[in-house]
Amino acid sequence: RLNRTVERIRQDFPILARTVHGKRLAYLDTAASAQKPEQVIEAMSRFQREEYANIHRGVYALSQAATDRFEAARGRVARFLNASSADEIVFTRNTTEAINVVAQSWARKNLKAGDEIVLTELEHHANIVPWQMIRAETGAVIKPIRIHDDGSLDLDHARSLIGPRTKLVAFAHVSNALGTVLPVRELVRLARAVDATVLIDGSQAVQHMAVDVQALDPDFYVFTGHKLYGPTGIGVLYGKGAVLNAMPPYQGGGDMIERVTFERTTFKPAPHRFEAGTPAITEAIGLAAAIDYVEQIGFDWIGPHEEELLTEATQALLAIDGLKLWGTSAQKASVLSFTLDGAHAHDVATILDQQGVAVRAGHHCAHPLMDRLGVAATSRASIGLYNDRADIDQLVAGITAVKRILKL
Ligand code: PMP
């Protein structure tokens, strides 16, 4: 068992020891991408140095061992999500690609004019734009569920929108811009009652809480490796076996076929039919190492640790004159989105950077949400398992410096 203290955990992340502009780094942008522990860096490096070969092809030992490692990574993801089989795990490049697979394969085949796709007002563009492309092709209709001013979902509106014409309900498990945790079970129940298919975007959830796809029961659950302390270039599409196997391939090529002639081609069953071409082998192994790492620390430690920092940071920010915090619903994870009266979000982030504090500024790939809130951009501090009190103190001191420099 690891010594689960944040001091100990920080030592696993080499980048946290560096300085930025001569200042201690307070990395508060984990919602955009998480830093990587030595265990992930080392697993990928060792594989590349000692075990690398292409997979699913070679009869030679190296290729077979690499294939085993890749397929073991798939199994690791399946256990992480409590999927009933590794065959329900499709590797993609990221969340964006996972949602596009569902749009281009499942939706294109199953939706027709007048069918309704229900989303929410707080979706990331990755869970909006693919559906607009499907709308343009099929004539399907998009209906967003409203949110309340505090960033929580308007469940009454959800109940009124989800009805007999609803074919798909697709929503974030946790909002990247506000941190709101959505009422997943209730939304799945509403969708099931009308036989709609469910997709959950878990990009901002899997790094903070244990996710059990059999308990939540969506048809699809997607996430991206780089926000889970793993590498970029690897993402996950979980789909129920029967649903995946009824879907046509998304891309064609090698590795996804059973037999090819110029007249016709037959495809492998899921997940392989959705993995055309050489996949991100090293990155899949890195993702498995990241999952090992996170589970070794355990959500029983990560959850309360992040919650404590979030509460502390929320209180500290609310005490700052002229600061507005966006997203204050009771069910919330790890994200502090804020604006300062009289300051542009980008100026705030730029001055914070001078203090060594890394936060994101902008629209967080959620234009419709920003429109709904009536704000052009926010600065966003987000918390990961390696953040500590000193990071929060540095953020608060940084904001004080911003106010002094901008004379607010
Ligand atoms: N959905 C949500 C909720 C996200 O936070 C993100 C990443 N910002 C994405 C989708 C897209 O992830 P990726 O860019 O890795 O595909």
Side-chain angles (χ1 to χ4, degrees):
R1 191 90 209 168
L2 284 176
N3 170 10
R4 299 192 298 177
T5 61
V6 71
E7 295 75 26
R8 168 68 202 79
I9 286 165
R10 289 178 67 83
Q11 290 169 8
D12 292 333
F13 293 81
I15 205 168
L16 297 181
R18 64 160 288 177
T19 57
V20 172
H21 303 304
K23 302 276 167 47
R24 172 189 185 275
L25 169 63
Y27 187 77
L28 290 166
D29 199 20
T30 297
S33 207
Q35 297 297 346
K36 320 304 172 198
E38 196 69 70
Q39 287 83 340
V40 169
I41 299 167
E42 184 51 30
M44 294 175 71
S45 161
R46 197 181 331 115
F47 177 73
Q48 301 258 36
R49 277 189 273 105
E50 299 169 16
E51 302 168 271
Y52 183 79
N54 208 335
I55 59 165
H56 297 150
R57 284 165 176 77
V59 294
Y60 54 93
L62 266 186
S63 175
Q64 283 182 357
T67 304
D68 291 346
R69 289 290 304 279
F70 182 76
E71 291 304 327
R74 194 190 303 281
R76 189 67 191 85
V77 173
R79 288 204 305 287
F80 179 61
L81 292 179
N82 194 32
S84 59
S85 157
D87 291 342
E88 297 183 319
I89 304 300
V90 178
F91 282 125
T92 62
R93 276 193 302 132
N94 46 34
T95 289
T96 303
E97 190 178 57
I99 296 175
N100 276 279
V101 173
V102 177
Q104 293 302 321
S105 171
W106 179 86
R108 209 203 259 219
K109 179 180 172 202
N110 290 294
L111 298 191
K112 54 182 194 315
D115 286 348
E116 294 179 359
I117 300 170
V118 172
L119 307 175
T120 82
E121 282 184 332
L122 46 67
E123 296 311 310
H124 188 280
H125 295 161
N127 196 30
I128 300 173
V129 183
W131 308 119
Q132 292 175 327
M133 292 163 70
I134 288 302
R135 175 175 65 186
E137 273 185 49
T138 63
V141 177
I142 294 174
K143 300 219 157 167
I145 303 169
R146 286 195 293 263
I147 56 164
H148 296 297
D149 290 340
D150 68 353
S152 62
L153 198 75
D154 181 342
L155 262 176
D156 287 335
H157 191 231
R159 284 185 202 101
S160 72
L161 275 194
I162 298 172
R165 281 191 297 275
T166 308
K167 290 292 173 309
L168 174 71
V169 183
F171 53 91
H173 192 161
V174 175
S175 155
N176 65 307
L178 300 179
T180 310
V181 180
L182 273 78
V184 175
R185 281 167 190 275
E186 185 61 24
L187 288 172
V188 174
R189 201 172 309 129
L190 292 171
R192 289 283 170 247
V194 296
D195 268 338
T197 294
V198 176
L199 179 144
I200 303 177
D201 173 359
S203 303
Q204 298 291 346
V206 291
Q207 59 279 58
H208 302 302
M209 58 190 82
V211 170
D212 179 336
V213 289
Q214 294 190 69
L216 294 179
D217 196 36
D219 297 280
F220 304 106
Y221 193 98
V222 301
F223 71 87
T224 197
H226 67 96
K227 295 182 204 268
L228 182 60
Y229 309 97
T232 53
I234 188 87
V236 168
L237 164 61
Y238 156 83
K240 286 187 175 171
V243 178
L244 286 179
N245 279 310
M247 285 161 53
Y250 161 65
Q251 294 182 324
D255 231 23
M256 48 79 76
I257 52 86
E258 261 162 4
R259 180 80 181 100
V260 178
T261 66
F262 280 108
E263 286 67 41
R264 82 185 211 102
T265 291
T266 50
F267 304 115
K268 282 183 183 160
H272 301 290
R273 72 163 59 177
F274 299 108
E275 295 178 0
T278 300
I281 305 166
T282 308
E283 288 73 15
I285 285 158
L287 176 60
I291 291 173
D292 283 345
Y293 181 79
V294 167
E295 289 203 330
Q296 216 180 340
I297 293 174
F299 288 111
D300 63 329
W301 186 87
I302 294 169
H305 171 70
E306 293 180 348
E307 180 74 37
E308 199 180 310
L309 289 180
L310 181 65
T311 304
E312 193 172 305
T314 301
Q315 282 163 0
L317 292 196
L318 286 175
I320 297 174
D321 212 32
L323 184 146
K324 172 154 176 58
L325 198 56
W326 301 85
T328 50
S329 80
Q331 302 300 318
K332 166 165 180 179
S334 194
V335 170
L336 296 136
S337 229
F338 62 93
T339 48
L340 276 181
D341 287 348
H344 288 287
H346 288 88
D347 294 340
V348 173
T350 304
I351 299 170
L352 285 175
D353 178 53
Q354 295 298 322
Q355 322 289 318
V357 181
V359 301
R360 179 161 176 194
H363 52 69
H364 315 295
C365 297
H367 283 157
L369 175 63
M370 297 290 124
D371 292 344
R372 159 66 181 84
L373 298 173
V375 61
T378 72
S379 304
R380 181 190 68 185
S382 55
I383 294 165
L385 57 83
Y386 39 58
N387 287 116
D388 61 6
R389 284 233 159 74
D391 293 330
I392 305 302
D393 291 346
Q394 206 171 324
L395 171 68
V396 173
I399 295 173
T400 308
V402 171
K403 290 184 66 175
R404 192 178 61 243
I405 291 163
L406 295 179
K407 302 190 168 54
L408 299 175

